[in-house]
Amino acid sequence: MKVNQIYVNLPVKDIQKTREFWTKLGFTINEQFSDEKAVCIMMKEDSIYVMFLTEEYFQTFSSKPVPKGDTAEVLVAVSLNSREEVEHIVNTALANGGSQHEEPQDYGWMYQNSFWDLNGHGWNITFADISKFPAE
């Protein structure tokens, strides 16, 4: 089986602030799936999307309560094309209201940095050069 697309759905408190945050990070909005209750961020056109839904709207899809901000339900890992892109995204997130999740980690073949977004969702941003992966 192969997946054609992925839509990650996450609850948020403020759609407009979320829209502005992710636009500042350089991502495009899919307006076709966005309105006052949701904003669809295109991570990779035609295949990877994040649907940020108001908490009220999110609750129409799940009977479980929305976490109150003192818990972590999910950490989303995103791979980019270079270490510089990783740093750019994380630094832009931090400059626009995000907070540092963990300190950067450099494994030689893989580099990662991470942040919590405005709504407390965790994002691990990585770059890996598999050709440098240690044999043993």
Side-chain angles (χ1 to χ4, degrees):
M1 174 175 46
K2 283 191 173 185
V3 174
N4 294 323
Q5 295 178 322
I6 183 170
Y7 290 83
V8 176
N9 295 275
L10 298 171
V12 300
K13 295 189 182 317
D14 187 313
I15 285 294
Q16 188 58 37
K17 285 182 181 177
T18 300
R19 172 188 282 268
E20 290 168 7
F21 179 82
W22 288 96
T23 301
K24 287 176 183 174
L25 267 63
F27 292 97
T28 303
I29 308 290
N30 181 332
E31 296 295 350
Q32 183 178 5
F33 297 114
S34 300
D35 59 22
E36 70 282 350
K37 299 181 293 187
V39 62
C40 179
I41 305 297
M42 291 191 290
M43 294 275 166
K44 184 174 183 184
E45 191 172 355
D46 295 326
S47 60
I48 303 171
Y49 303 90
V50 178
M51 294 292 301
F52 292 104
L53 312 173
T54 62
E55 290 179 350
E56 298 79 18
Y57 189 46
F58 185 87
Q59 286 291 178
T60 66
F61 297 97
S62 174
S63 61
K64 291 184 177 183
V66 172
K68 299 299 178 206
D70 59 349
T71 61
E73 181 105 358
V74 65
L75 295 173
V76 181
V78 177
S79 176
L80 299 178
N81 293 318
S82 71
R83 180 182 177 127
E84 293 75 25
E85 286 183 2
V86 170
E87 285 303 300
H88 174 74
I89 290 291
V90 173
N91 290 334
T92 303
L94 298 179
N96 286 285
S99 59
Q100 190 74 48
H101 172 220
E102 296 177 321
E103 290 302 313
Q105 299 170 6
D106 190 342
Y107 300 100
W109 66 277
M110 182 176 76
Y111 176 76
Q112 68 182 37
N113 201 342
S114 57
F115 65 91
W116 299 107
D117 69 16
L118 299 177
N119 295 283
H121 304 300
W123 296 87
N124 292 336
I125 313 299
T126 67
F127 165 69
D129 182 347
I130 299 300
S131 71
K132 295 180 181 176
F133 187 80
E136 288 292 319

